Amino acid sequence: MLLLRGGEVLDQTGRRAADVLIDGGRVVAVGPALAAPAGTSVLDAADAIVCPAFVDLHTHLRQPGQEEAETVETGSRAAALGGYSAVVAMPNTTPATDCVEVVRQVRRWGEQAGLVDVRPAAAITAGRAGAELADLAALYADGVRVFTDDGNEVADAALMRAALEAVRELPGAVLAQHAECAALVASGHLNEGPVSRALGLGGRPAVAEEITVARDLALVRLVGGGVRYHVLHASVSATVELIRRAKADGLAVTMEVTPQHLTLTDACCSGADPTFKVNPPLRTDADLAVLRHALRAGDIDAVATDHAPHAPDTKARPFAAAPPGMLGLETALAVLLGPAEIPLERAVAALSWGPAAIAGLAEHGRPVAPGEPANLCVFDPQRRWRVDPAALASKSRNTPFTHLDLLGRVRHTLLRGEPTVIDEVATR
Ligand SMILES: [Zn+2]
């Protein structure tokens, strides 16, 4: 047995001071000053929050194909240290995760690492090439629930319609779009605006996101049948408004935002430091303010990291040649609570049961209650810290958050009752 002693439980039912007793991978008791039977291991939760462990909807584990940047094992360790018990692995691997064989291989690597549940998302189109649909029904039968060509949008509207029609027939499945109009961003490297013009670099205009989201919502209405659609890494204010209206109309649509789009703007790119290159790009102060407000108001369903490791030699290229992407798993909570100033309850909701519901992960993001799976995170909400890139568990070092004062640190993480992190250190 395992006892989390002295913490404050926070879940979808509220907040209360309580110990949590765990046995056989499940929570068996929750209450003040629980007695620990002989032989029980005790983990200190004093001055800490005990909550459902986090679920990342948007993790790039880079395996197969880019093992110099990350592996399923190193990415899983980074996730556990960030308080996660499950991650959805993005399919832009080499080869692309577009068939059952690759899905099974990634899942197997996740099981071998044993640090988080790795749930591969599968590509919408074969090879993520945007030409013909992958075998979505076969992937679904193998357990896939999230379909995305992340990295690219599905540009062809007829193909997107066909993908929505296919997903409509798969209960619990969701089509997740990287919403950037391909034609409008083809030669862009950062947000189109004064900073891109000053640098003399091609821009990625805000309307590129707005146009794809608006088009997709029109297709969602056309296809009907309650088809589920999710906007990955929303970055502009127009997306917030479009999704808010679509929800009010009863469409089954959701959106996520990343910690970077809640805290950084294109002003960070003015020195041409490729650490701040990401797609969709960092936007403006006005977008950032709208995204924060929408997250606080509950209009944004989830915070997802878009954890995108890149080996140092590639990320150190000049801005226009460097690959887009940033690390995020080990800092997400602390960026939300610190610089993004998101209230504790909203941060935990958007990191835990919000994304678990979108990804259809029935064993994650559950209330802290007897009988529920013990996928739990214990974090100190008052702990202030700075990220040291050299100390990260990720194989890569491309964190953009080194200049920020972070708040809140994961102390312990449990996966089905087994500690994967104890006292801020991974157990394996
Ligand atoms: Zn993306």
Side-chain angles (χ1 to χ4, degrees):
M1 286 195 173
L2 178 66
L3 181 70
L4 303 175
R5 178 179 277 162
E8 187 180 4
V9 169
L10 167 56
D11 65 10
Q12 45 274 68
T13 69
R15 254 174 110 155
R16 63 273 182 199
D19 296 345
V20 179
L21 189 63
I22 293 149
D23 192 27
R26 294 191 176 263
V27 174
V28 294
V30 181
L34 292 180
T40 301
S41 319
V42 177
L43 289 178
D44 175 35
D47 303 314
I49 298 290
V50 180
C51 64
F54 307 147
V55 171
D56 192 26
L57 287 174
H58 200 142
T59 299
H60 297 278
L61 292 172
R62 299 300 190 217
Q63 194 179 7
Q66 271 186 275
E67 290 82 355
E68 70 284 1
E70 196 78 286
T71 64
V72 173
E73 183 187 336
T74 59
S76 294
R77 190 170 295 117
L81 286 162
Y84 292 86
S85 58
V87 301
V88 177
M90 289 290 110
N92 58 340
T93 48
T94 310
T97 306
D98 66 352
C99 62
V100 167
E101 289 69 28
V102 182
V103 166
R104 288 183 180 164
Q105 178 63 69
V106 172
R107 217 184 270 139
R108 211 156 36 233
W109 283 324
E111 285 162 9
Q112 285 162 6
L115 288 153
V116 291
D117 284 344
V118 174
R119 294 287 176 261
I124 297 168
T125 68
R128 291 177 54 255
E132 52 186 303
L133 290 186
D135 189 346
L136 306 189
L139 290 157
Y140 177 84
D142 201 60
V144 173
R145 291 295 176 270
V146 180
F147 295 94
T148 180
D149 273 5
D150 183 49
N152 305 324
E153 70 156 358
V154 178
D156 181 323
L159 194 63
M160 186 64 183
R161 176 185 184 174
L164 288 165
E165 286 170 346
V167 165
R168 182 187 59 194
E169 306 307 319
L170 307 173
V174 60
L175 204 157
Q177 177 75 292
H178 177 121
E180 282 195 295
C181 172
L184 280 170
V185 301
S187 57
H189 301 286
L190 71 162
N191 183 49
E192 183 173 307
V195 179
S196 69
R197 285 191 283 276
L199 290 171
L201 292 170
R204 303 170 83 91
V207 297
E209 180 171 312
E210 180 181 358
I211 286 169
T212 291
V213 173
R215 179 205 72 174
D216 286 353
L217 290 174
L219 291 171
V220 166
R221 290 175 205 274
L222 176 69
V223 167
V227 63
R228 295 178 63 217
Y229 170 79
H230 177 73
V231 177
L232 300 167
H233 40 47
S235 71
V236 300
S237 56
T239 298
V240 171
E241 195 47 42
L242 285 165
I243 295 294
R244 190 186 281 142
R245 250 184 279 150
K247 284 180 175 174
D249 290 345
L251 300 185
V253 298
T254 50
M255 62 180 148
E256 69 186 34
V257 66
T258 70
Q260 50 269 29
H261 290 105
L262 292 166
T263 48
L264 308 173
T265 67
D266 61 352
C268 296
C269 303
S270 56
D273 179 348
T275 307
F276 298 103
K277 182 174 180 179
V278 66
N279 293 340
L282 302 176
R283 301 290 187 181
T284 66
D285 283 321
D287 291 306
L288 184 150
V290 167
L291 291 167
R292 280 190 192 181
H293 183 267
L295 181 59
R296 289 195 192 107
D299 291 336
I300 291 178
D301 307 275
V303 168
T305 65
D306 193 7
H307 178 84
H310 289 292
D313 57 325
T314 62
K315 198 62 179 169
R317 291 172 189 154
F319 200 94
M326 303 169 164
L327 300 183
L329 287 168
E330 295 173 72
T331 49
L333 171 74
V335 172
L336 293 187
L337 298 182
E341 300 178 330
I342 304 301
L344 196 60
E345 290 84 352
R346 276 302 304 150
V348 171
L351 287 167
S352 177
W353 54 91
I358 292 168
L361 298 177
E363 300 283 293
H364 297 270
R366 300 292 303 165
V368 184
E372 296 288 357
N375 295 316
L376 300 171
C377 169
V378 179
F379 69 89
D380 178 349
Q382 301 301 334
R383 174 101 136 69
R384 293 185 181 281
W385 59 293
R386 286 263 180 141
V387 59
D388 170 10
L392 293 171
S394 171
K395 242 178 156 175
S396 292
R397 296 288 168 257
N398 54 306
T399 171
F401 300 118
T402 51
H403 63 296
L404 298 178
D405 290 315
L406 305 184
L407 177 63
R409 179 106 186 199
V410 173
R411 191 184 293 174
H412 319 301
T413 309
L414 306 185
L415 177 64
R416 282 180 285 280
E418 293 298 323
T420 54
V421 173
I422 296 178
D423 292 329
E424 304 181 6
V425 177
T427 56
R428 52 192 296 181

